[in-house]
């Protein structure tokens, strides 16, 4: 990682921790240990939804990703659920999207950390948290499956 990327990574780490603190949470207590020295993670709770904040360093850029795992995919209702998620991606979401990781539906927002400012970090965390809390209940009620309360 270049010196500029390292400096950006450290600046963004501090920025994320300031945003977490502004939410009334302790960044150190919300930090999760990962085996990758180029990837940091914090876990927050927004209502019933878990929200993970990832800061990833790579050779070409650093990235911020905010993810909320919502529910397991219900057996036999995959097509209807996937159609609904695509419709929501097209009609109801701005700056974030539903996706799949294995058998888990998640909501995520990501961007490079170039010219990132604290208001953008706060907006990403707030939006993913608010919509994650809304859609975990709504999608499980509509399609079945299991709401993902803990995704460790």
């Amino acid at each position: 990682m270049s010196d500029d990327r390292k400096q950006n990574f450290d600046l963004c780490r501090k920025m994320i921790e300031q945003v977490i603190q502004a939410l009334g949470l302790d960044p150190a207590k919300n930090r999760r240990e990962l085996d990758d020295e180029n990837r940091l993670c914090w876990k927050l709770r927004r209502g019933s939804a878990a929200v993970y904040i990832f800061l990833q360093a790579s050779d070409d850029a650093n990235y911020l990703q905010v993810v909320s795992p919502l529910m397991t995919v219900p057996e036999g209702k995959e097509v209807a659920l996937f159609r609904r998620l695509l419709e929501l991606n097209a009609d109801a979401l701005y700056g974030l999207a539903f996706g799949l990781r294995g058998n888990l539906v998640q909501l995520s927002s990501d961007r490079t950390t170039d010219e990132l400012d604290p208001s953008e970090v706060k907006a990403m965390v707030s939006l993913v948290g608010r919509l994650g809390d809304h859609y975990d209940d709504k999608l499980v009620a509509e399609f079945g499956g299991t709401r993902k309360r803990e995704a460790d």
Side-chain angles (χ1 to χ4, degrees):
M1 181 177 356
S2 72
D3 288 343
D4 287 344
R5 288 274 168 241
K6 173 102 174 92
Q7 185 177 11
N8 173 269
F9 189 85
D10 291 339
L11 178 68
C12 290
R13 178 189 52 77
K14 291 175 186 171
M15 191 183 313
I16 291 165
E17 290 175 346
Q18 289 170 351
V19 168
I20 292 170
Q21 193 165 33
L23 293 170
L25 301 170
D26 182 344
K29 288 182 180 176
N30 288 278
R31 180 92 174 263
R32 297 298 178 255
E33 293 301 319
L34 301 175
D35 293 333
D36 184 349
E37 66 183 27
N38 293 316
R39 186 169 167 93
L40 301 177
C41 177
W42 296 263
K43 180 185 176 187
L44 315 175
R45 172 96 24 220
R46 307 319 292 155
S48 61
V51 177
Y52 293 87
I53 304 168
F54 295 101
L55 180 60
Q56 175 74 46
S58 69
D59 291 336
D60 64 327
N62 296 328
Y63 297 91
L64 173 64
Q65 183 179 51
V66 181
V67 178
S68 183
L70 302 180
M71 63 181 285
T72 58
V73 175
E75 194 171 315
K77 296 187 178 178
E78 297 90 345
V79 173
L81 173 63
F82 297 163
R83 179 180 181 88
R84 180 75 173 120
L85 295 177
L86 288 171
E87 290 169 347
L88 289 167
N89 281 346
D91 295 333
L93 301 179
Y94 304 96
L96 62 163
F98 288 105
L100 293 176
R101 182 168 300 255
N103 194 40
L104 193 61
V105 174
Q106 65 181 28
L107 188 61
S108 66
S109 178
D110 57 274
R111 62 155 288 176
T112 68
T113 60
D114 294 337
E115 300 182 29
L116 182 68
D117 69 59
S119 68
E120 292 172 290
V121 176
K122 184 178 178 185
M124 289 172 72
V125 171
S126 296
L127 189 59
V128 170
R130 183 171 50 82
L131 293 178
D133 184 37
H134 172 75
Y135 281 111
D136 63 355
D137 296 322
K138 186 173 182 156
L139 291 170
V140 168
E142 188 174 345
F143 296 99
T146 304
R147 187 172 67 188
K148 194 66 178 171
R149 295 176 196 270
E150 290 294 323
D152 289 334

